[in-house]
Amino acid sequence: MLTDADIRLPPPFRLVTLREVGDAFAHAKQNAADEGAGTLVFVGRFDLAEFAVVLEPDEPLALARRSFIACMAALADTLTAHAPPETDIRIEWPDAVRVNGGLVGGGQFAWPADANENEPPAWLVFGAMIRLVSMSGVDAGLHPLSAALEDEGFTESGAERLMESFARHLMVMLDSWQERGFPAVTTSYLRHLAPPEDKKDRRSLDENGNLLIRRIGKAEAERRQLMPLLATPSWLDPKTGGPRL
């Protein structure tokens, strides 16, 4: 395990390290107002890469919630950068991450309970959790829909290095957003999104980050709302507090 001094984050990130029993997402939410934008909370574990980042957007919450899309795209880009060649890394709408078809974790998102949709929120928090090593003690064949990075050939991807890489990729993503608008984020996210059941379907994201699916022969696009799905992460096992098996 690396020490805090070994971890190098780009500006403006500031590292907060918790013990192995800590909860990065919960800590970031509880302390977001005091610790401010750029705080990156990290839990030192060898089996999971677990971290959370505090953001302070300057646009109304209804639009600022799109930051979740940017963070998920950065998370997928991070894993792609560390993956062996030909590894298939996909986002399962909207929040889960799969590697070669197996669930490794995902992202979660929070904002103040009293935030107004039409005003900038005081803070946003994105939390990520990626399974590095399987600790179930059960034959992997019994859980074919789950995976761990170690089993998928990620030999040089410890939790600290993934967090560092995520910080860099998130900065690139946010810079692209600022320079080229939200479509730049959309392009990256959709590139990682798991393919539709019907390959003829065309997908896009609207200005609020909702998924639009256009099917041949139908004039109206099917809209899948983002906000309701953020309330309960699809990939998180509430009993274990980690990615589902």
Side-chain angles (χ1 to χ4, degrees):
M1 182 70 67
L2 300 178
T3 66
D4 286 3
D6 297 319
I7 298 175
R8 295 179 174 84
L9 298 176
F13 292 102
R14 182 178 66 85
L15 180 65
V16 173
T17 303
L18 306 181
R19 295 191 176 192
E20 187 172 338
V21 295
D23 184 324
F25 188 60
H27 179 93
K29 289 191 296 180
Q30 183 176 353
N31 298 280
D34 295 326
E35 296 184 341
T39 301
L40 190 53
V41 184
F42 173 70
V43 177
R45 301 179 60 168
F46 75 93
D47 59 325
L48 290 173
E50 180 185 350
F51 49 86
V53 62
V54 178
L55 306 171
E56 291 182 358
D58 58 3
E59 57 187 5
L61 176 58
L63 292 176
R65 204 175 279 114
R66 299 179 298 179
S67 299
F68 177 79
I69 299 296
C71 290
M72 284 298 300
L75 183 60
D77 284 345
T78 296
L79 293 177
T80 299
H82 289 261
E86 307 304 321
T87 302
D88 185 46
I89 296 171
R90 297 291 183 179
I91 296 172
E92 187 174 278
W93 170 261
D95 61 349
V97 177
R98 292 187 176 274
V99 174
N100 294 329
L103 179 70
V104 296
Q108 50 189 324
F109 206 57
W111 54 90
D114 59 353
N116 187 316
E117 287 286 306
N118 300 313
E119 298 178 0
W123 52 263
L124 299 172
V125 169
F126 174 81
M129 191 179 295
I130 298 294
R131 182 163 38 225
L132 304 176
V133 180
S134 177
M135 299 291 289
S136 66
V138 179
D139 187 336
L142 297 178
H143 297 287
L145 298 182
S146 69
L149 297 195
E150 182 181 66
D151 297 333
E152 302 301 327
F154 288 70
T155 57
E156 303 293 333
S157 301
E160 297 89 347
R161 292 298 175 240
L162 285 178
M163 179 189 62
E164 289 178 336
S165 184
F166 170 78
R168 293 191 295 270
H169 281 92
L170 180 58
M171 288 304 300
V172 170
M173 192 65 59
L174 295 179
D175 286 345
S176 295
W177 187 351
Q178 185 174 19
E179 293 176 6
R180 298 187 285 139
F182 187 61
V185 176
T186 296
T187 298
S188 181
Y189 182 89
L190 292 175
R191 183 174 66 247
H192 292 295
L193 193 62
E197 294 183 6
D198 188 337
K199 294 183 179 180
K200 296 180 181 179
D201 291 345
R202 295 293 177 262
R203 298 174 303 177
S204 61
L205 300 179
D206 68 12
E207 64 177 8
N208 292 322
N210 302 311
L211 181 65
L212 302 178
I213 303 175
R214 291 178 170 81
R215 307 184 190 279
I216 292 180
K218 294 188 177 180
E220 294 293 328
E222 176 185 338
R223 185 185 304 271
R224 297 186 180 179
Q225 299 286 341
L226 173 64
M227 186 179 73
L229 299 178
L230 296 179
T232 305
S234 65
W235 54 270
L236 185 63
D237 186 335
K239 294 181 179 179
T240 66
R244 297 181 185 275
L245 292 175

